[in-house]
């Protein structure tokens, strides 16, 4: 993919994400005066833009892998189902808190919501660090040509640090939006991450030389001292 096409696809995808997320937040809320929604979207989309720009400058191959995403991009049937469920969870974690705030008002103080925003930023920071360490973090489950096992940085702590960052991010969203209603959708996303990890490790043990040894060396998959 040439540079111009990559830039166009990356920013068009980001623009569509921004529009979709704004609709999922503000339409259920019934108002544009949803301050927590604006703060959350500014941080989430700002982090997305920063990561996209960095990849455009330093790692086109990784950005191309990340642009190939979603259920239809997966080759494994189970992953198609899991990605579909994760997509529903992503929509739910935005829509449900917005509905709750519309009908009942924010459940928490601004201090709690700002704490949620910090978790969103922290989750994105973990993901960005993973991208820096491993250029093969595709959005689909596959082993790329020339891929080797990454054991450094966050991969020395857990085997799937990108999913750990996503878990932190999705725990922060309901707090940021001011409602516990989103935690049910966050739980759905967490369950899909568990299923995705278990299936992915089957592929990696089979197709990525050295992964079995790495799995024995790095005990925890997602959360240190837990799992």
């Amino acid at each position: 993919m040439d540079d111009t096409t990559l830039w166009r696809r990356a920013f068009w995808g980001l623009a569509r994400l921004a529009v979709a997320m704004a609709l999922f937040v503000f339409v259920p809320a019934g108002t544009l005066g949803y301050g927590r929604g604006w703060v959350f979207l500014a941080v989430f989309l700002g982090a997305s833009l920063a990561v996209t720009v960095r990849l455009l400058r330093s790692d086109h191959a990784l950005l191309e892998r990340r642009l190939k995403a979603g259920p239809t991009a997966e080759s494994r049937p189970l992953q198609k189902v899991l990605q579909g469920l994760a997509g529903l969870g992503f929509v739910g974690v935005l829509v449900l808190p917005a509905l709750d705030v519309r009908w009942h008002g924010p459940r928490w103080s601004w201090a709690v919501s700002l704490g949620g925003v910090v978790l969103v930023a922290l989750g994105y920071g973990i993901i960005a660090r993973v991208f820096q360490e491993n250029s093969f973090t595709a959005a689909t489950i596959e082993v790329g040509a020339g891929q080797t096992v990454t054991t450094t940085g966050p991969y020395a702590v857990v085997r799937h640090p990108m999913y750990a960052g996503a878990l932190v991010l999705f725990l922060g969203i309901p707090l940021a939006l001011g409602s516990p209603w989103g935690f049910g959708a966050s739980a759905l996303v967490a369950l899909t991450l568990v299923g995705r990890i278990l299936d992915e490790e089957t592929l990696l043990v089979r197709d990525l030389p050295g992964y079995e040894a790495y799995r024995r060396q790095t005990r925890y998959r997602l959360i240190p001292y837990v799992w």
Side-chain angles (χ1 to χ4, degrees):
M1 187 184 303
D2 63 77
D3 290 354
T4 300
T5 301
L6 185 60
W7 276 77
R8 184 169 59 248
R9 283 191 59 192
F11 283 109
W12 175 238
L14 192 56
R16 287 186 297 173
L17 175 65
V19 171
M21 290 183 68
L23 291 173
F24 291 142
V25 169
F26 293 115
V27 171
T31 177
L32 292 175
Y34 184 15
R36 287 169 170 80
W38 284 111
V39 173
F40 160 69
L41 287 175
V43 172
F44 186 98
L45 295 172
S48 298
L49 176 61
V51 170
T52 299
V53 169
R54 190 187 73 79
L55 293 180
L56 281 167
R57 291 176 174 174
S58 62
D59 198 337
H60 284 190
L62 175 54
L63 183 56
E64 286 192 43
R65 293 186 183 99
R66 299 303 305 173
L67 289 175
K68 180 186 174 186
T72 59
E74 295 285 356
S75 59
R76 298 169 71 83
L78 177 59
Q79 294 297 340
K80 291 179 183 292
V81 174
L82 291 172
Q83 284 289 68
L85 291 174
L88 289 175
F90 180 65
V91 172
V93 82
L94 302 178
V95 170
L96 294 176
L99 286 172
D100 187 23
V101 170
R102 178 177 186 170
W103 292 331
H104 306 108
R107 304 284 187 166
W108 296 305
S109 67
W110 263 102
V112 173
S113 289
L114 291 176
V117 169
V118 170
L119 287 178
V120 171
L122 175 61
Y124 242 116
I126 294 170
I127 292 169
R129 180 67 181 87
V130 170
F131 289 167
Q132 183 179 0
E133 197 70 28
N134 182 7
S135 186
F136 286 92
T137 49
T140 55
I141 302 302
E142 60 186 7
V143 174
Q147 182 174 348
T148 58
V149 178
T150 302
T151 62
T152 54
Y155 286 91
V157 181
V158 292
R159 300 201 295 268
H160 300 273
M162 185 176 69
Y163 299 148
L167 185 62
V168 172
L169 189 156
F170 275 94
L171 287 175
I173 293 176
L175 295 172
L177 293 177
S179 167
W181 284 19
F183 285 126
S186 294
L188 174 60
V189 173
L191 289 174
T192 65
L193 291 178
V194 170
R196 190 169 174 83
I197 286 170
L198 294 174
D199 184 59
E200 182 175 355
E201 290 211 326
T202 300
L203 175 72
L204 293 174
V205 168
R206 186 190 70 192
D207 294 346
L208 184 60
Y211 191 83
E212 178 58 40
Y214 167 65
R215 190 166 69 159
R216 291 194 299 268
Q217 172 189 340
T218 305
R219 178 179 176 183
Y220 298 103
R221 299 176 179 92
L222 185 65
I223 303 173
Y225 307 107
V226 177
W227 185 71

